[in-house]
């Protein structure tokens, strides 16, 4: 070494050593987690898909894709031979691909959408029929015939009294209906049917009027799914029959609202949706029966690959069950996962691992990227990830490992493992349920300990036997037993759902809080070294953020017809005393209230007439005056102008005159058409949340919102 060569400054040498040490530790950690790295591929793709739905316009989407590609190039520059470089490369490409995939799917499924309400008379073919027991009506998806002024696919509700007898898929109807564009969410954080309708190809929704004539009936009396549902209801009656139909066909429209609410409150609503549990039970039963029957022959047992044959029988059963149940997206997702598990069994691999779950999620996202934003995808995969991650832990493996012990101890360990799985699932599902539904059943883990085995090993096998023996006219005893088992299941749901403190309520959750909890939960579940527990920090931070978010003081629906004002004592008062149950439930859910809402006429400080209501409330030492119209009659303009001038907020479902200038917010029809529903938190720093993001240019948004 040349003695005259300048030496490297100490600070630079120190900085370089720290960088080398950090890089070495990161590489060492990633090397230790190398088996877990593929699990993050669907997570990265999901992040790209979710970003496309959350970001407002093309500029933001292109910027995200460019940033993700830059991340991939950085990984390429770092060297794909290093774990960190390869992770950056794969992650960047997955994020960019997810964003582009969602964007492309939205453009690919584009179909005409109604732009304004119309009343139309037309002829249509029935594509799908669903009974709505709670509304005493039937919901039908129709394809209009020779009606170019209408969207090619629409959905209407028909009162049972007006529906043609035996309405089924394949019928051709002549009808008149009031059709409207698919509605967006009525309140911030609410269900956006317009987005769902866009990806389903539905261009309008509405209500049909009598008379409705059936021009031609389906030659086979409807689909196999509909015929099975009709037969089950005839065999069991309305109440147990509704649950039984949901278990077999996935059609929940026959379940009464009282029973459906009890299932939701008790954390058992997942039993009514044909998904992982049902597919697993059907496939498992088919495999077990096939193995037992073939093993009766010593020659077959010794010469034939029985596991491979049983896996094939399970696959055929799962596919048939999926087709019978309507092949809805949640069912298809469960089938994909089941087929992957069967493929693993056929190859002699472990039955269910996180890699198989990740592969299933990746396949689903490639085909239905929009499913990521719905609660069904999130709930189903979160539950499976929580269960598999728990049972892959070494301590859980040791606890559940087979050993020589008495039947009582074995049963106790099985029950304890089921309880631990239930608790893990409840922890995983709680943020998702609170984010989408604003409620979570607190006794779900305990209710599921009994309900899941009862449904899997009692109700569904009895129902299957009843259907099989009905072919010979001998299914009556099995139907009786099925009805009693379903009644016991409903008793569990009602008992757990209406017990004191059965439901946790949350008025709303910020997207950031939800993202923190999801990221923290995935970090804990998908890694294996001790660093996994660092995910508890973002999870806890998101939970604190969510629970510290204040409940709104004012909620206004997107049409301006309905509003709810907090009474300061945990309750809310509604503007219109005759508001329907659907509106009351929607506002109560958004407000985080479990109970009936009062009328604004009864709110202290409110002065209401048949045409207007003026409410005066105090928050943090300040008085707020909210004026709302509640009739179609116009007030004298000078009177309305004076009333507006004295109010802080004015709400109306019609266009208010220009002279109406409140002190703060004017929420009339033109304003709400742009903003959608609005929630307001009063206080020293009032906070307003809008349903429609400013500048939103997603394909399903109204043209007025894209200007």
């Amino acid at each position: 070494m040349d003695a005259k060569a300048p030496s490297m400054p100490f600070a630079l040498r120190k900085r370089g050593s720290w960088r080398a040490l950090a890089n070495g530790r990161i590489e060492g950690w990633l090397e230790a987690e190398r088996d877990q790295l593929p699990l993050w591929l669907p997570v990265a793709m999901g992040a790209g898909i979710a970003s496309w739905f959350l970001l407002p316009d093309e500029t933001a989407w292109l910027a995200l894709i460019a940033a993700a590609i830059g991340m991939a190039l950085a990984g390429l520059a770092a060297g794909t031979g290093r774990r960190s470089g390869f992770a950056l490369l794969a992650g960047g490409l997955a994020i960019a691909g997810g964003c582009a995939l969602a964007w492309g799917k939205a453009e690919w499924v584009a179909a005409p959408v109604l732009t304004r309400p119309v009343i139309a008379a037309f002829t249509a073919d029935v594509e799908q029929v669903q009974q709505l027991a709670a509304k005493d009506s039937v919901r039908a998806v129709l394809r209009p015939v020779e009606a170019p002024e209408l969207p090619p696919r629409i959905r209407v509700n028909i009162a049972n009294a007006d529906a043609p007898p035996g309405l089924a898929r394949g019928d051709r109807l002549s009808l008149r209906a009031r059709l409207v564009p698919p509605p967006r969410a009525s309140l911030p954080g609410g269900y956006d049917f317009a987005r769902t309708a866009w990806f389903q190809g539905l261009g309008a929704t509405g209500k049909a009027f009598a008379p409705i004539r059936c021009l031609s009936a389906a030659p086979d009396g409807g689909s196999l799914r509909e015929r099975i549902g009709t037969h089950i209801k005839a065999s069991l009656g309305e109440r147990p029959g509704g649950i039984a139909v949901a278990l077999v066909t996935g059609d929940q429209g026959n379940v009464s609202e009282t029973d459906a609410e009890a299932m939701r409150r008790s954390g058992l609503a997942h039993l009514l949706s044909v998904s992982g549990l049902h597919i697993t039970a059907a496939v498992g039963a088919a495999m077990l029966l096939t193995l037992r029957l073939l093993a009766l022959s010593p020659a077959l047992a010794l010469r034939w690959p029985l596991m491979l044959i049983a896996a094939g029988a399970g696959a055929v059963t799962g596919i048939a069950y999926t087709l019978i149940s309507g092949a809805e997206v949640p069912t298809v997702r469960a089938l994909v996962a089941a087929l992957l598990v069967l493929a693993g069994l056929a190859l002699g691999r472990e039955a269910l691992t996180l890699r198989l779950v990740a592969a299933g999620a990746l396949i689903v996202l490639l085909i239905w990227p929009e499913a990521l934003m719905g609660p069904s995808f999130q709930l189903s995969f979160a539950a499976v990830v929580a269960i598999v991650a728990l049972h892959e832990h070494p301590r859980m493996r040791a606890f559940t490992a087979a050993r020589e012990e008495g039947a009582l101890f074995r049963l106790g360990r099985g029950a304890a493992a089921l309880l631990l799985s239930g608790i893990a699932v409840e922890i995983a599902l709680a943020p998702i349920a609170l984010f989408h539904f604003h409620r979570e059943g607190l006794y779900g883990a305990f209710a599921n300990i009994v309900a899941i085995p009862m449904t899997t090993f009692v109700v569904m096998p009895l129902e299957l036997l009843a259907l099989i023996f009905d072919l010979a006219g001998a299914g009556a005893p099995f139907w009786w037993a099925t009805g009693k088992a379903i009644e016991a299941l409903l008793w569990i749901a009602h008992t757990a759902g209406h017990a004191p403190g059965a439901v946790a309520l949350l008025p709303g959750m910020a997207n950031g809080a939800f993202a923190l909890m999801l990221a923290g939960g995935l970090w804990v579940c998908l890694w294996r070294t001790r660093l996994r527990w660092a995910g508890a920090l973002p999870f806890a931070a998101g939970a604190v953020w969510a629970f510290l978010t204040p409940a709104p003081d004012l909620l206004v629906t997107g049409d301006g017809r309905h509003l709810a004002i907090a009474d300061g004592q945990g309750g809310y008062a509604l503007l219109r005393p005759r508001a329907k149950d659907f509106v009351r439930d929607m506002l109560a859910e958004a407000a985080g209230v479990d109970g009936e809402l009062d009328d604004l006429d009864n709110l202290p400080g409110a002065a209401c007439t048949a045409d207007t209501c003026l409410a005066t409330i105090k928050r943090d030492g300040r008085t707020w005056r909210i004026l709302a119209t509640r009739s179609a009659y116009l007030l004298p303009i000078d009177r309305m102008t004076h009333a507006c001038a004295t109010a802080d907020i004015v709400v109306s479902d019609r266009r208010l005159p220009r002279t109406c200038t409140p002190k703060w917010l004017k929420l009339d029809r033109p304003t709400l058409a742009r903003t959608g529903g609005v929630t307001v938190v009063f206080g020293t720093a009032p906070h307003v949340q809008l349903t429609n993001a400013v500048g939103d240019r997603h394909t399903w948004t109204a043209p007025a919102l894209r200007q």
Side-chain angles (χ1 to χ4, degrees):
M1 181 176 180
D2 189 355
K4 295 182 179 181
S7 61
M8 182 181 295
F10 175 75
L12 292 179
R13 283 187 283 123
K14 184 176 182 181
R15 187 183 307 167
S17 62
W18 277 109
R19 184 182 294 112
L21 180 61
N23 289 338
R25 288 189 173 182
I26 292 174
E27 285 296 317
W29 171 62
L30 291 176
E31 179 63 27
E33 296 278 13
R34 63 184 181 276
D35 292 336
Q36 307 302 113
L37 289 176
L39 304 180
W40 289 92
L41 186 61
V43 176
M45 177 172 286
I49 294 172
S51 298
W52 183 83
F53 280 96
L54 296 175
L55 295 174
D57 54 26
E58 295 88 348
T59 302
W61 306 333
L62 290 173
L64 173 68
I65 293 174
I69 293 176
M71 172 180 166
L73 292 176
L76 190 63
T80 56
R82 303 174 62 185
R83 297 286 180 188
S84 56
F86 186 78
L88 287 173
L89 174 63
L93 292 178
I95 293 172
C99 183
L101 182 65
W103 191 353
K105 178 68 178 291
E107 297 291 344
W108 182 55
V109 300
V113 177
L114 204 64
T115 57
R116 59 183 178 85
V118 297
I119 295 179
F122 57 97
T123 300
D125 292 329
V126 179
E127 184 178 289
Q128 182 180 336
V129 177
Q130 180 185 12
Q131 186 68 39
L132 302 178
K135 298 181 178 180
D136 193 28
S137 62
V138 63
R139 175 174 291 164
V141 176
L142 308 176
R143 287 194 175 273
V145 178
E146 297 180 355
E149 72 280 4
L150 295 179
R153 196 165 186 256
I154 63 178
R155 194 183 77 177
V156 298
N157 288 352
I158 307 172
N160 283 334
D162 301 332
L167 180 64
R169 178 182 180 181
D171 292 355
R172 175 163 288 190
L173 305 179
S174 174
L175 70 159
R176 191 168 63 96
R178 183 180 186 272
L179 302 175
V180 298
R184 300 206 66 191
S186 296
L187 291 168
Y191 174 56
D192 189 356
F193 178 70
R195 185 179 69 194
T196 302
W198 180 267
F199 286 98
Q200 291 180 353
L202 295 173
T205 183
K207 182 178 181 180
F209 308 120
I212 300 172
R213 294 187 299 126
C214 182
L215 302 180
S216 62
D220 57 357
S223 65
L224 177 61
R225 181 192 189 200
E226 293 167 348
R227 297 201 302 271
I228 290 176
T230 301
H231 178 74
I232 292 174
K233 284 188 293 182
S235 302
L236 283 176
E238 289 296 327
R239 191 176 182 223
I243 301 293
V245 169
L247 292 176
V248 173
T249 70
D251 184 359
Q252 302 181 36
N254 297 281
V255 181
S256 69
E257 182 59 30
T258 302
D259 291 339
E261 178 66 12
M263 298 291 280
R264 287 191 292 266
R265 293 175 63 91
S266 61
L268 301 180
H270 64 94
L271 297 178
L272 301 180
S273 175
V274 177
S275 54
L277 173 66
H278 308 75
I279 294 293
T280 301
V283 171
M287 289 185 62
L288 180 62
L289 183 61
T290 302
L291 278 174
R292 295 289 187 183
L293 290 176
L294 294 180
L296 293 176
S297 169
L300 291 178
L302 293 173
R303 299 176 184 176
W304 290 71
L306 299 190
M307 179 56 71
L308 184 61
I309 296 173
V316 172
T317 302
I319 293 172
Y321 188 16
T322 300
L323 294 175
I324 291 174
S325 63
E328 299 291 337
V329 173
T331 314
V332 176
R333 289 200 303 264
L335 175 65
V336 169
L339 293 178
L340 288 172
V341 172
L342 292 175
L345 285 173
L347 295 173
R349 303 292 296 273
E350 191 173 350
L352 185 60
T353 64
L354 283 175
R355 286 201 173 196
L356 285 176
V357 177
L362 193 61
I363 293 173
V364 170
L365 292 178
L366 288 171
I367 303 174
W368 300 286
E370 71 278 6
L372 175 73
M373 305 304 291
S376 178
F377 176 94
Q378 296 172 14
L379 290 169
S380 58
F381 275 99
V384 174
V385 167
I387 292 173
V388 177
L390 174 67
H391 285 266
E392 283 189 352
H393 194 280
R395 292 184 181 178
M396 193 66 182
R397 284 180 179 271
F399 179 73
T400 57
R403 65 195 71 180
E404 292 292 335
E405 61 182 351
L408 186 61
F409 284 99
R410 186 165 58 252
L411 181 63
R413 271 193 313 110
L418 188 59
L419 177 60
L420 290 174
S421 300
I423 293 174
V425 168
E426 291 301 317
I427 294 173
L429 300 189
I432 302 172
L434 290 172
F435 179 77
H436 289 284
F437 310 120
H438 308 283
R439 63 173 61 192
E440 166 67 1
L442 298 181
Y443 303 147
F446 302 98
N448 277 291
I449 289 179
V450 180
I452 289 179
M454 178 182 291
T455 303
T456 306
F457 302 113
V458 179
V459 176
M460 293 183 67
L462 283 173
E463 195 169 354
L464 177 61
L465 289 172
L467 289 170
I468 292 174
F469 275 85
D470 264 352
L471 297 175
F478 297 100
W479 284 124
W480 178 86
T482 302
K484 294 300 180 182
I486 290 177
E487 288 177 3
L489 182 67
L490 288 174
W491 179 85
I492 294 171
H494 283 273
T495 302
H498 294 91
V503 177
L505 298 168
L506 193 69
M509 184 187 300
N511 289 335
F514 184 51
L516 281 174
M517 284 191 279
L518 282 185
L522 287 170
W523 191 271
V524 170
C525 290
L526 300 188
W527 294 129
R528 284 293 170 264
T529 59
R530 290 184 178 181
L531 193 59
R532 66 189 299 183
W533 299 114
L537 294 177
F539 188 93
V544 171
W545 183 356
F547 285 105
L548 291 183
T549 301
D553 293 301
L554 173 66
L555 302 96
V556 180
T557 59
D559 58 5
R561 285 185 52 81
H562 304 282
L563 64 80
I565 299 178
D567 60 10
Q569 299 178 354
Y572 285 79
L574 292 181
L575 172 66
R576 299 177 185 269
R578 296 183 180 180
K580 296 182 179 180
D581 290 341
F582 171 77
V583 174
R584 291 179 174 271
D585 293 343
M586 176 185 64
L587 289 168
E589 181 181 282
V593 175
D594 185 23
E596 292 294 326
L597 304 184
D598 201 356
D599 295 331
L600 193 56
D601 305 66
N602 302 326
L603 183 70
C608 294
T609 67
D611 301 319
T612 63
C613 270
L614 178 63
T616 303
I617 61 175
K618 293 184 178 181
R619 295 290 186 274
D620 295 339
R622 178 176 173 179
T623 300
W624 296 85
R625 292 167 62 87
I626 300 103
L627 174 67
T629 65
R630 63 176 184 180
S631 78
Y633 296 101
L634 301 179
L635 298 177
I637 192 167
D638 55 343
R639 180 180 168 189
M640 190 67 195
T641 300
H642 179 266
C644 289
T646 60
D648 296 285
I649 301 174
V650 179
V651 180
S652 179
D653 61 343
R654 60 175 183 264
R655 180 187 293 273
L656 294 174
R658 293 183 179 180
T659 55
C660 176
T661 55
K663 298 177 182 178
W664 188 35
L665 288 178
K666 180 179 178 180
L667 302 175
D668 62 350
R669 179 185 292 177
T671 302
L672 291 170
R674 295 190 302 270
T675 65
V678 176
T679 60
V680 182
V681 177
F682 296 133
T684 55
H687 175 69
V688 179
Q689 187 175 0
L690 309 178
T691 300
N692 301 336
V694 177
D696 188 0
R697 293 185 59 84
H698 288 94
T699 47
W700 55 87
T701 58
L705 301 178
R706 301 192 207 174
Q707 297 175 356

